[in-house]
Amino acid sequence: MKGVLLINLGSPDSTNPKDVKRYLDEFLMDERVIDKPYLLRAFIVKGIILNTRPKKSAAAYKKIWWDEGSPLIVLSERLKRKVDDLTQVPVALGMRYGNPSIKAGLQELADQGVDEVLIVPLYPQFAMSTTETVLVKAEEERKKHFPEMKFTNIPAFYNHPDYVRVLAASIKDELEGKEWDHLLFSYHGVPERHIRKSDITNSHCKIDGVCCQTNSPAHQYCYRHQCFETTKQVVELLGIDNSKYSTSFQSRLGRDPWIQPYTDATIESLAEKGIKNLAVVTPAFVSDCLETLEEIAMEGKEDFIAAGGEQFYAVPCLNDNDEWVKVLSRWVDEWAITETANA
């Protein structure tokens, strides 16, 4: 029997600093997030970050928390329910960090008799700190608790025509009737070393402004290329002039170089250059979360206004957008039908 497990990033159970600390511990101790040797990673996370950051992060979560709970969890659950209603196979939800766990999601499917699972990482672009760690964790849980299960995973869909279409349509709908001078595509940042580590050619990714535009097998796992390609295809579909959009990367951590340009600096620069009405879309995220609701919609707006901007529009993520639900459900059914035909 076939089933689907949607997997998103995760969230603390509450805005209590203890819950936030527990979540950050699991998240930042992931060797694909902070890819340092264990002892050094433990020193950075447990010795420094967890002694300083939980209270600050808890305060940020409080600013965006809903009555129903974490926006990311609530929105992911809504997406799961809608997809479940439209598809012919059972659908469960798991989070890479926090609750509901990947193990819990797989158990939910196992209890329904599922032994073939389509793993759907809810990340359009591939990165070792998102897609890769999800697939590795799911496989660990399979081997340990569900050895009879067979996994298939959906590949990065950053350039899938259906995804590009619904993303473009959601941006167009959100900005309908609004005056905007510039559209900023802000993606979550990653350290430059992650790009090089994911380079299957061991030579292509030089992060020099040219490699991402030059065809290579490395692009299958190059987060930077996939972000720029998402932007390129969306603006082509929307017919946006080159001077009216740009791409940047947010949420850097530590002192190591991260991929650029940085979102915070870009927002300030655009205002200083005379952009008065700025719209920002965050296509690295399927569901709105702390990084979109607080870092962009609140902090980004404050920075833009302080630098001389006037109107700031944060475009929501796809969340449980009905057209996105239809696309995701169709991908699931196509997989289920194909797998059945091949059986």
Side-chain angles (χ1 to χ4, degrees), residues 166-230:
V166 296
L167 176 59
S170 72
I171 295 170
K172 182 179 180 181
D173 290 346
E174 179 65 22
L175 297 180
E176 192 75 36
K178 296 182 175 73
E179 288 188 13
W180 57 275
D181 307 318
H182 198 88
L183 177 60
L184 177 63
F185 289 76
S186 178
Y187 298 85
H188 200 284
V190 299
E192 289 185 356
R193 66 179 181 274
H194 283 203
I195 302 298
R196 296 189 174 94
K197 282 186 175 183
S198 298
D199 181 1
I200 57 175
T201 72
N202 295 317
S203 61
H204 180 78
C205 294
K206 297 179 174 60
I207 316 180
D208 58 3
V210 177
C211 57
C212 282
Q213 312 305 323
T214 306
N215 288 336
S216 170
H219 291 173
Q220 182 180 357
Y221 300 107
C222 179
Y223 176 74
R224 187 175 184 275
H225 162 79
Q226 293 182 9
C227 291
F228 280 110
E229 189 64 21
T230 299

Short mmCIF file of all heavy atoms in Angstrom, two decimals, residues 166-230:
data_model
loop_
_atom_site.label_atom_id
_atom_site.label_comp_id
_atom_site.label_asym_id
_atom_site.label_seq_id
_atom_site.Cartn_x
_atom_site.Cartn_y
_atom_site.Cartn_z
N VAL A 166 2.44 28.23 -10.36
CA VAL A 166 1.64 28.60 -9.19
C VAL A 166 2.34 29.66 -8.34
O VAL A 166 1.69 30.52 -7.75
CB VAL A 166 1.26 27.37 -8.32
CG1 VAL A 166 0.38 26.43 -9.11
CG2 VAL A 166 2.48 26.65 -7.79
N LEU A 167 3.69 29.61 -8.29
CA LEU A 167 4.42 30.63 -7.55
C LEU A 167 4.24 31.98 -8.22
O LEU A 167 3.95 32.98 -7.54
CB LEU A 167 5.91 30.26 -7.48
CG LEU A 167 6.82 31.29 -6.81
CD1 LEU A 167 6.39 31.56 -5.37
CD2 LEU A 167 8.28 30.82 -6.85
N ALA A 168 4.39 32.03 -9.53
CA ALA A 168 4.22 33.28 -10.27
C ALA A 168 2.81 33.82 -10.10
O ALA A 168 2.61 35.03 -9.88
CB ALA A 168 4.54 33.07 -11.75
N ALA A 169 1.83 32.94 -10.18
CA ALA A 169 0.43 33.36 -10.04
C ALA A 169 0.15 33.91 -8.65
O ALA A 169 -0.58 34.90 -8.48
CB ALA A 169 -0.51 32.20 -10.35
N SER A 170 0.76 33.29 -7.62
CA SER A 170 0.53 33.76 -6.24
C SER A 170 1.13 35.14 -6.04
O SER A 170 0.56 35.99 -5.33
CB SER A 170 1.12 32.77 -5.23
OG SER A 170 2.54 32.80 -5.22
N ILE A 171 2.28 35.38 -6.65
CA ILE A 171 2.91 36.71 -6.56
C ILE A 171 2.05 37.75 -7.27
O ILE A 171 1.78 38.84 -6.74
CB ILE A 171 4.32 36.67 -7.17
CG1 ILE A 171 5.23 35.75 -6.36
CG2 ILE A 171 4.92 38.08 -7.25
CD1 ILE A 171 6.57 35.46 -7.02
N LYS A 172 1.61 37.41 -8.47
CA LYS A 172 0.77 38.32 -9.25
C LYS A 172 -0.51 38.66 -8.51
O LYS A 172 -0.92 39.83 -8.42
CB LYS A 172 0.44 37.71 -10.60
CG LYS A 172 -0.38 38.62 -11.51
CD LYS A 172 -0.64 37.95 -12.86
CE LYS A 172 -1.47 38.86 -13.77
NZ LYS A 172 -1.74 38.22 -15.09
N ASP A 173 -1.15 37.65 -7.93
CA ASP A 173 -2.41 37.87 -7.20
C ASP A 173 -2.19 38.75 -5.97
O ASP A 173 -3.00 39.64 -5.67
CB ASP A 173 -3.01 36.54 -6.77
CG ASP A 173 -3.56 35.73 -7.94
OD1 ASP A 173 -3.72 36.31 -9.04
OD2 ASP A 173 -3.82 34.52 -7.77
N GLU A 174 -1.10 38.52 -5.25
CA GLU A 174 -0.83 39.27 -4.03
C GLU A 174 -0.53 40.73 -4.32
O GLU A 174 -0.90 41.62 -3.54
CB GLU A 174 0.34 38.63 -3.28
CG GLU A 174 0.73 39.34 -2.00
CD GLU A 174 -0.34 39.31 -0.91
OE1 GLU A 174 -1.21 38.42 -0.97
OE2 GLU A 174 -0.32 40.21 -0.04
N LEU A 175 0.12 40.99 -5.45
CA LEU A 175 0.52 42.36 -5.77
C LEU A 175 -0.49 43.09 -6.65
O LEU A 175 -0.28 44.25 -7.01
CB LEU A 175 1.89 42.36 -6.44
CG LEU A 175 3.05 41.82 -5.58
CD1 LEU A 175 4.36 41.86 -6.34
CD2 LEU A 175 3.16 42.60 -4.27
N GLU A 176 -1.57 42.41 -7.00
CA GLU A 176 -2.62 43.02 -7.81
C GLU A 176 -3.16 44.27 -7.11
O GLU A 176 -3.57 44.23 -5.94
CB GLU A 176 -3.76 42.03 -8.04
CG GLU A 176 -4.76 42.47 -9.09
CD GLU A 176 -4.22 42.31 -10.50
OE1 GLU A 176 -3.50 41.34 -10.76
OE2 GLU A 176 -4.53 43.19 -11.33
N GLY A 177 -3.15 45.39 -7.82
CA GLY A 177 -3.68 46.64 -7.26
C GLY A 177 -2.71 47.38 -6.37
O GLY A 177 -3.04 48.47 -5.87
N LYS A 178 -1.52 46.82 -6.12
CA LYS A 178 -0.53 47.48 -5.28
C LYS A 178 0.53 48.15 -6.16
O LYS A 178 0.90 47.62 -7.21
CB LYS A 178 0.14 46.49 -4.34
CG LYS A 178 -0.79 45.85 -3.32
CD LYS A 178 0.01 44.92 -2.40
CE LYS A 178 -0.87 44.36 -1.28
NZ LYS A 178 -1.80 43.34 -1.76
N GLU A 179 1.01 49.28 -5.73
CA GLU A 179 2.09 49.96 -6.45
C GLU A 179 3.43 49.48 -5.90
O GLU A 179 3.70 49.65 -4.72
CB GLU A 179 1.97 51.48 -6.29
CG GLU A 179 0.82 52.10 -7.05
CD GLU A 179 0.88 53.62 -7.01
OE1 GLU A 179 1.94 54.15 -6.62
OE2 GLU A 179 -0.13 54.26 -7.35
N TRP A 180 4.23 48.86 -6.73
CA TRP A 180 5.55 48.42 -6.30
C TRP A 180 6.59 48.79 -7.36
O TRP A 180 6.32 48.74 -8.55
CB TRP A 180 5.57 46.92 -6.00
CG TRP A 180 5.15 46.05 -7.15
CD1 TRP A 180 3.88 45.70 -7.50
CD2 TRP A 180 6.01 45.45 -8.13
NE1 TRP A 180 3.88 44.91 -8.63
CE2 TRP A 180 5.18 44.73 -9.04
CE3 TRP A 180 7.39 45.42 -8.33
CZ2 TRP A 180 5.69 44.02 -10.11
CZ3 TRP A 180 7.91 44.71 -9.40
CH2 TRP A 180 7.07 44.01 -10.27
N ASP A 181 7.76 49.17 -6.89
CA ASP A 181 8.84 49.59 -7.79
C ASP A 181 9.83 48.47 -8.06
O ASP A 181 10.50 48.45 -9.09
CB ASP A 181 9.61 50.77 -7.19
CG ASP A 181 8.69 51.91 -6.79
OD1 ASP A 181 7.76 52.21 -7.57
OD2 ASP A 181 8.89 52.48 -5.70
N HIS A 182 9.94 47.55 -7.10
CA HIS A 182 10.96 46.51 -7.19
C HIS A 182 10.47 45.25 -6.48
O HIS A 182 9.81 45.34 -5.45
CB HIS A 182 12.26 47.01 -6.54
CG HIS A 182 13.47 46.23 -6.93
ND1 HIS A 182 14.24 46.54 -8.03
CD2 HIS A 182 14.06 45.15 -6.36
CE1 HIS A 182 15.25 45.68 -8.12
NE2 HIS A 182 15.15 44.82 -7.12
N LEU A 183 10.82 44.08 -7.05
CA LEU A 183 10.46 42.80 -6.45
C LEU A 183 11.74 42.09 -6.05
O LEU A 183 12.57 41.76 -6.89
CB LEU A 183 9.66 41.95 -7.43
CG LEU A 183 9.27 40.54 -6.96
CD1 LEU A 183 8.39 40.61 -5.70
CD2 LEU A 183 8.55 39.78 -8.07
N LEU A 184 11.91 41.83 -4.76
CA LEU A 184 13.10 41.16 -4.25
C LEU A 184 12.77 39.70 -3.94
O LEU A 184 11.83 39.42 -3.19
CB LEU A 184 13.59 41.86 -2.99
CG LEU A 184 14.80 41.22 -2.28
CD1 LEU A 184 16.03 41.23 -3.20
CD2 LEU A 184 15.09 41.93 -0.96
N PHE A 185 13.52 38.79 -4.52
CA PHE A 185 13.41 37.36 -4.23
C PHE A 185 14.44 37.06 -3.14
O PHE A 185 15.64 37.06 -3.40
CB PHE A 185 13.70 36.53 -5.48
CG PHE A 185 12.64 36.60 -6.54
CD1 PHE A 185 12.52 37.73 -7.34
CD2 PHE A 185 11.76 35.54 -6.73
CE1 PHE A 185 11.55 37.80 -8.32
CE2 PHE A 185 10.78 35.60 -7.71
CZ PHE A 185 10.66 36.73 -8.51
N SER A 186 13.97 36.82 -1.92
CA SER A 186 14.87 36.55 -0.80
C SER A 186 14.82 35.07 -0.44
O SER A 186 13.78 34.55 -0.04
CB SER A 186 14.47 37.40 0.41
OG SER A 186 15.31 37.10 1.51
N TYR A 187 15.95 34.41 -0.60
CA TYR A 187 16.07 32.98 -0.28
C TYR A 187 16.86 32.81 1.01
O TYR A 187 17.69 33.67 1.36
CB TYR A 187 16.79 32.25 -1.41
CG TYR A 187 16.06 32.29 -2.74
CD1 TYR A 187 16.22 33.38 -3.59
CD2 TYR A 187 15.22 31.26 -3.13
CE1 TYR A 187 15.56 33.43 -4.81
CE2 TYR A 187 14.55 31.30 -4.35
CZ TYR A 187 14.72 32.39 -5.19
OH TYR A 187 14.05 32.44 -6.39
N HIS A 188 16.63 31.70 1.69
CA HIS A 188 17.43 31.44 2.88
C HIS A 188 18.88 31.24 2.47
O HIS A 188 19.18 30.62 1.46
CB HIS A 188 16.93 30.20 3.62
CG HIS A 188 17.36 30.15 5.05
ND1 HIS A 188 18.65 29.80 5.42
CD2 HIS A 188 16.70 30.41 6.20
CE1 HIS A 188 18.75 29.85 6.73
NE2 HIS A 188 17.59 30.22 7.24
N GLY A 189 19.79 31.80 3.26
CA GLY A 189 21.20 31.68 2.93
C GLY A 189 21.80 30.36 3.41
O GLY A 189 21.25 29.67 4.27
N VAL A 190 22.93 30.00 2.83
CA VAL A 190 23.74 28.87 3.30
C VAL A 190 25.20 29.28 3.20
O VAL A 190 25.56 30.16 2.41
CB VAL A 190 23.51 27.59 2.46
CG1 VAL A 190 22.06 27.14 2.54
CG2 VAL A 190 23.93 27.79 1.01
N PRO A 191 26.07 28.67 4.00
CA PRO A 191 27.50 28.98 3.87
C PRO A 191 28.02 28.60 2.48
O PRO A 191 27.55 27.62 1.88
CB PRO A 191 28.15 28.10 4.96
CG PRO A 191 27.05 27.79 5.92
CD PRO A 191 25.80 27.71 5.09
N GLU A 192 28.98 29.35 1.99
CA GLU A 192 29.56 29.04 0.68
C GLU A 192 30.12 27.62 0.64
O GLU A 192 30.06 26.95 -0.39
CB GLU A 192 30.66 30.05 0.35
CG GLU A 192 30.14 31.44 0.03
CD GLU A 192 31.25 32.38 -0.41
OE1 GLU A 192 32.44 31.97 -0.38
OE2 GLU A 192 30.94 33.54 -0.78
N ARG A 193 30.63 27.15 1.76
CA ARG A 193 31.23 25.81 1.77
C ARG A 193 30.18 24.73 1.50
O ARG A 193 30.50 23.67 0.98
CB ARG A 193 31.95 25.54 3.08
CG ARG A 193 31.05 25.47 4.30
CD ARG A 193 31.83 25.15 5.58
NE ARG A 193 30.93 25.06 6.73
CZ ARG A 193 30.53 26.09 7.45
NH1 ARG A 193 30.98 27.30 7.15
NH2 ARG A 193 29.70 25.93 8.46
N HIS A 194 28.91 25.00 1.85
CA HIS A 194 27.85 24.02 1.55
C HIS A 194 27.68 23.86 0.05
O HIS A 194 27.40 22.77 -0.44
CB HIS A 194 26.52 24.48 2.17
CG HIS A 194 26.43 24.25 3.64
ND1 HIS A 194 25.22 24.14 4.31
CD2 HIS A 194 27.39 24.10 4.59
CE1 HIS A 194 25.44 23.95 5.59
NE2 HIS A 194 26.75 23.93 5.79
N ILE A 195 27.81 24.95 -0.67
CA ILE A 195 27.69 24.90 -2.13
C ILE A 195 28.81 24.03 -2.70
O ILE A 195 28.57 23.16 -3.55
CB ILE A 195 27.76 26.31 -2.74
CG1 ILE A 195 26.65 27.20 -2.16
CG2 ILE A 195 27.66 26.24 -4.26
CD1 ILE A 195 25.25 26.74 -2.45
N ARG A 196 30.01 24.23 -2.22
CA ARG A 196 31.15 23.46 -2.73
C ARG A 196 31.06 21.99 -2.31
O ARG A 196 31.41 21.10 -3.08
CB ARG A 196 32.46 24.09 -2.23
CG ARG A 196 32.68 25.50 -2.78
CD ARG A 196 34.07 26.03 -2.45
NE ARG A 196 34.30 27.32 -3.09
CZ ARG A 196 34.09 28.49 -2.51
NH1 ARG A 196 33.62 28.54 -1.27
NH2 ARG A 196 34.32 29.62 -3.15
N LYS A 197 30.57 21.73 -1.10
CA LYS A 197 30.44 20.34 -0.65
C LYS A 197 29.41 19.58 -1.46
O LYS A 197 29.51 18.36 -1.61
CB LYS A 197 30.05 20.31 0.84
CG LYS A 197 31.19 20.57 1.79
CD LYS A 197 30.74 20.36 3.23
CE LYS A 197 31.90 20.48 4.20
NZ LYS A 197 31.49 20.21 5.60
N SER A 198 28.41 20.28 -1.98
CA SER A 198 27.35 19.63 -2.77
C SER A 198 27.71 19.49 -4.24
O SER A 198 26.93 18.93 -5.01
CB SER A 198 26.04 20.43 -2.63
OG SER A 198 25.61 20.47 -1.29
N ASP A 199 28.87 19.98 -4.63
CA ASP A 199 29.30 19.95 -6.03
C ASP A 199 29.77 18.55 -6.39
O ASP A 199 30.87 18.13 -6.02
CB ASP A 199 30.42 20.96 -6.25
CG ASP A 199 30.91 21.01 -7.69
OD1 ASP A 199 30.36 20.28 -8.53
OD2 ASP A 199 31.85 21.78 -7.97
N ILE A 200 28.96 17.81 -7.14
CA ILE A 200 29.30 16.42 -7.48
C ILE A 200 30.45 16.34 -8.47
O ILE A 200 31.04 15.27 -8.66
CB ILE A 200 28.08 15.66 -8.03
CG1 ILE A 200 27.51 16.37 -9.27
CG2 ILE A 200 27.02 15.49 -6.96
CD1 ILE A 200 26.38 15.60 -9.94
N THR A 201 30.80 17.45 -9.11
CA THR A 201 31.94 17.45 -10.03
C THR A 201 33.25 17.79 -9.30
O THR A 201 34.33 17.61 -9.85
CB THR A 201 31.74 18.47 -11.16
OG1 THR A 201 31.87 19.80 -10.64
CG2 THR A 201 30.38 18.31 -11.82
N ASN A 202 33.13 18.31 -8.09
CA ASN A 202 34.29 18.73 -7.28
C ASN A 202 35.11 19.83 -7.93
O ASN A 202 36.26 20.05 -7.54
CB ASN A 202 35.20 17.53 -6.98
CG ASN A 202 34.53 16.50 -6.10
OD1 ASN A 202 33.87 16.85 -5.13
ND2 ASN A 202 34.68 15.23 -6.46
N SER A 203 34.54 20.51 -8.91
CA SER A 203 35.33 21.55 -9.58
C SER A 203 34.49 22.69 -10.16
O SER A 203 35.01 23.77 -10.39
CB SER A 203 36.16 20.94 -10.72
OG SER A 203 35.31 20.35 -11.70
N HIS A 204 33.20 22.46 -10.38
CA HIS A 204 32.40 23.46 -11.10
C HIS A 204 32.07 24.68 -10.26
O HIS A 204 32.17 25.82 -10.73
CB HIS A 204 31.11 22.83 -11.62
CG HIS A 204 30.24 23.80 -12.36
ND1 HIS A 204 30.51 24.17 -13.66
CD2 HIS A 204 29.13 24.49 -11.98
CE1 HIS A 204 29.59 25.04 -14.06
NE2 HIS A 204 28.75 25.26 -13.07
N CYS A 205 31.63 24.47 -9.02
CA CYS A 205 31.09 25.56 -8.21
C CYS A 205 32.20 26.44 -7.64
O CYS A 205 32.87 26.08 -6.68
CB CYS A 205 30.23 25.00 -7.08
SG CYS A 205 28.74 24.16 -7.66
N LYS A 206 32.37 27.59 -8.25
CA LYS A 206 33.38 28.55 -7.81
C LYS A 206 32.74 29.80 -7.20
O LYS A 206 33.43 30.67 -6.69
CB LYS A 206 34.28 28.95 -8.98
CG LYS A 206 35.08 27.77 -9.54
CD LYS A 206 35.95 28.21 -10.71
CE LYS A 206 36.87 27.07 -11.16
NZ LYS A 206 36.13 25.89 -11.61
N ILE A 207 31.40 29.88 -7.29
CA ILE A 207 30.65 31.01 -6.74
C ILE A 207 31.26 32.31 -7.24
O ILE A 207 31.56 33.23 -6.46
CB ILE A 207 30.61 30.96 -5.19
CG1 ILE A 207 30.33 29.53 -4.72
CG2 ILE A 207 29.56 31.89 -4.65
CD1 ILE A 207 30.28 29.36 -3.22
N ASP A 208 31.43 32.39 -8.54
CA ASP A 208 32.09 33.54 -9.15
C ASP A 208 31.17 34.37 -10.04
O ASP A 208 31.63 35.24 -10.77
CB ASP A 208 33.30 33.07 -9.97
CG ASP A 208 32.92 32.06 -11.05
OD1 ASP A 208 31.70 31.78 -11.21
OD2 ASP A 208 33.82 31.56 -11.74
N GLY A 209 29.87 34.07 -9.99
CA GLY A 209 28.94 34.81 -10.83
C GLY A 209 28.78 34.23 -12.22
O GLY A 209 27.93 34.66 -12.98
N VAL A 210 29.62 33.23 -12.55
CA VAL A 210 29.57 32.60 -13.86
C VAL A 210 29.12 31.15 -13.78
O VAL A 210 28.33 30.67 -14.61
CB VAL A 210 30.96 32.67 -14.55
CG1 VAL A 210 30.93 31.95 -15.89
CG2 VAL A 210 31.38 34.12 -14.75
N CYS A 211 29.58 30.44 -12.77
CA CYS A 211 29.33 28.99 -12.70
C CYS A 211 27.84 28.66 -12.65
O CYS A 211 27.40 27.66 -13.24
CB CYS A 211 30.06 28.38 -11.51
SG CYS A 211 29.64 29.08 -9.90
N CYS A 212 27.05 29.48 -11.98
CA CYS A 212 25.61 29.19 -11.87
C CYS A 212 24.89 29.37 -13.21
O CYS A 212 23.78 28.86 -13.38
CB CYS A 212 24.96 30.07 -10.81
SG CYS A 212 25.27 29.51 -9.12
N GLN A 213 25.52 30.10 -14.13
CA GLN A 213 24.92 30.34 -15.44
C GLN A 213 25.46 29.39 -16.51
O GLN A 213 25.01 29.41 -17.65
CB GLN A 213 25.19 31.78 -15.89
CG GLN A 213 24.91 32.84 -14.83
CD GLN A 213 23.50 32.79 -14.28
OE1 GLN A 213 22.56 32.52 -15.00
NE2 GLN A 213 23.35 33.03 -12.98
N THR A 214 26.42 28.56 -16.13
CA THR A 214 27.05 27.64 -17.07
C THR A 214 26.54 26.22 -16.81
O THR A 214 26.68 25.72 -15.69
CB THR A 214 28.59 27.66 -16.90
OG1 THR A 214 29.05 29.00 -17.02
CG2 THR A 214 29.25 26.80 -17.97
N ASN A 215 25.97 25.59 -17.81
CA ASN A 215 25.38 24.27 -17.63
C ASN A 215 26.39 23.29 -17.04
O ASN A 215 27.54 23.23 -17.46
CB ASN A 215 24.87 23.72 -18.97
CG ASN A 215 23.60 24.44 -19.42
OD1 ASN A 215 22.86 24.99 -18.61
ND2 ASN A 215 23.35 24.43 -20.72
N SER A 216 25.91 22.52 -16.06
CA SER A 216 26.78 21.54 -15.40
C SER A 216 25.93 20.53 -14.63
O SER A 216 24.87 20.88 -14.10
CB SER A 216 27.74 22.23 -14.44
OG SER A 216 28.41 21.29 -13.63
N PRO A 217 26.39 19.28 -14.53
CA PRO A 217 25.70 18.30 -13.67
C PRO A 217 25.65 18.76 -12.22
O PRO A 217 24.79 18.32 -11.46
CB PRO A 217 26.58 17.04 -13.81
CG PRO A 217 27.29 17.21 -15.12
CD PRO A 217 27.53 18.68 -15.25
N ALA A 218 26.55 19.68 -11.84
CA ALA A 218 26.58 20.18 -10.47
C ALA A 218 25.29 20.89 -10.09
O ALA A 218 24.93 20.98 -8.91
CB ALA A 218 27.77 21.13 -10.28
N HIS A 219 24.58 21.40 -11.08
CA HIS A 219 23.37 22.16 -10.80
C HIS A 219 22.26 21.32 -10.18
O HIS A 219 21.34 21.85 -9.56
CB HIS A 219 22.85 22.82 -12.09
CG HIS A 219 23.73 23.92 -12.59
ND1 HIS A 219 23.54 24.54 -13.80
CD2 HIS A 219 24.82 24.51 -12.03
CE1 HIS A 219 24.47 25.47 -13.98
NE2 HIS A 219 25.25 25.47 -12.92
N GLN A 220 22.35 20.00 -10.33
CA GLN A 220 21.34 19.12 -9.74
C GLN A 220 21.30 19.27 -8.22
O GLN A 220 20.25 19.08 -7.60
CB GLN A 220 21.64 17.67 -10.11
CG GLN A 220 20.62 16.67 -9.57
CD GLN A 220 20.94 15.24 -9.95
OE1 GLN A 220 21.91 14.98 -10.68
NE2 GLN A 220 20.16 14.30 -9.47
N TYR A 221 22.45 19.64 -7.64
CA TYR A 221 22.52 19.78 -6.18
C TYR A 221 23.04 21.15 -5.75
O TYR A 221 23.45 21.33 -4.61
CB TYR A 221 23.42 18.68 -5.60
CG TYR A 221 22.93 17.28 -5.90
CD1 TYR A 221 23.58 16.48 -6.83
CD2 TYR A 221 21.79 16.78 -5.28
CE1 TYR A 221 23.12 15.21 -7.13
CE2 TYR A 221 21.31 15.52 -5.57
CZ TYR A 221 21.98 14.74 -6.50
OH TYR A 221 21.51 13.47 -6.79
N CYS A 222 23.04 22.10 -6.66
CA CYS A 222 23.55 23.43 -6.34
C CYS A 222 22.41 24.35 -5.90
O CYS A 222 21.62 24.82 -6.74
CB CYS A 222 24.30 24.04 -7.52
SG CYS A 222 24.93 25.71 -7.17
N TYR A 223 22.35 24.64 -4.63
CA TYR A 223 21.29 25.49 -4.09
C TYR A 223 21.33 26.88 -4.71
O TYR A 223 20.28 27.44 -5.07
CB TYR A 223 21.45 25.57 -2.57
CG TYR A 223 20.47 26.49 -1.89
CD1 TYR A 223 19.14 26.11 -1.75
CD2 TYR A 223 20.87 27.72 -1.39
CE1 TYR A 223 18.21 26.95 -1.12
CE2 TYR A 223 19.97 28.56 -0.76
CZ TYR A 223 18.65 28.18 -0.62
OH TYR A 223 17.74 29.01 -0.01
N ARG A 224 22.51 27.44 -4.84
CA ARG A 224 22.64 28.80 -5.37
C ARG A 224 22.09 28.88 -6.79
O ARG A 224 21.30 29.78 -7.12
CB ARG A 224 24.10 29.25 -5.32
CG ARG A 224 24.33 30.71 -5.70
CD ARG A 224 25.80 31.09 -5.50
NE ARG A 224 26.04 32.50 -5.77
CZ ARG A 224 26.28 33.02 -6.96
NH1 ARG A 224 26.30 32.21 -8.03
NH2 ARG A 224 26.49 34.32 -7.11
N HIS A 225 22.51 27.95 -7.64
CA HIS A 225 21.99 27.93 -9.02
C HIS A 225 20.48 27.80 -9.03
O HIS A 225 19.79 28.50 -9.78
CB HIS A 225 22.60 26.77 -9.80
CG HIS A 225 21.82 26.43 -11.04
ND1 HIS A 225 21.92 27.16 -12.21
CD2 HIS A 225 20.89 25.45 -11.28
CE1 HIS A 225 21.10 26.64 -13.12
NE2 HIS A 225 20.46 25.62 -12.58
N GLN A 226 19.95 26.91 -8.21
CA GLN A 226 18.52 26.64 -8.22
C GLN A 226 17.71 27.84 -7.75
O GLN A 226 16.61 28.09 -8.24
CB GLN A 226 18.22 25.40 -7.37
CG GLN A 226 18.80 24.13 -7.99
CD GLN A 226 18.48 22.88 -7.20
OE1 GLN A 226 17.68 22.90 -6.25
NE2 GLN A 226 19.11 21.77 -7.58
N CYS A 227 18.26 28.62 -6.82
CA CYS A 227 17.58 29.85 -6.39
C CYS A 227 17.52 30.86 -7.54
O CYS A 227 16.45 31.41 -7.84
CB CYS A 227 18.30 30.46 -5.19
SG CYS A 227 18.14 29.51 -3.67
N PHE A 228 18.65 31.10 -8.17
CA PHE A 228 18.68 32.05 -9.28
C PHE A 228 17.80 31.57 -10.44
O PHE A 228 17.16 32.38 -11.12
CB PHE A 228 20.11 32.28 -9.75
CG PHE A 228 20.89 33.24 -8.90
CD1 PHE A 228 21.92 32.79 -8.09
CD2 PHE A 228 20.56 34.59 -8.88
CE1 PHE A 228 22.63 33.68 -7.29
CE2 PHE A 228 21.27 35.48 -8.08
CZ PHE A 228 22.31 35.03 -7.28
N GLU A 229 17.73 30.27 -10.64
CA GLU A 229 16.91 29.73 -11.72
C GLU A 229 15.42 29.91 -11.41
O GLU A 229 14.62 30.20 -12.30
CB GLU A 229 17.23 28.26 -11.95
CG GLU A 229 16.58 27.65 -13.19
CD GLU A 229 17.05 28.26 -14.51
OE1 GLU A 229 18.15 28.86 -14.53
OE2 GLU A 229 16.32 28.13 -15.50
N THR A 230 15.04 29.72 -10.14
CA THR A 230 13.65 29.97 -9.75
C THR A 230 13.27 31.42 -10.06
O THR A 230 12.23 31.69 -10.66
CB THR A 230 13.45 29.68 -8.25
OG1 THR A 230 13.74 28.31 -7.98
CG2 THR A 230 12.00 29.97 -7.84
#
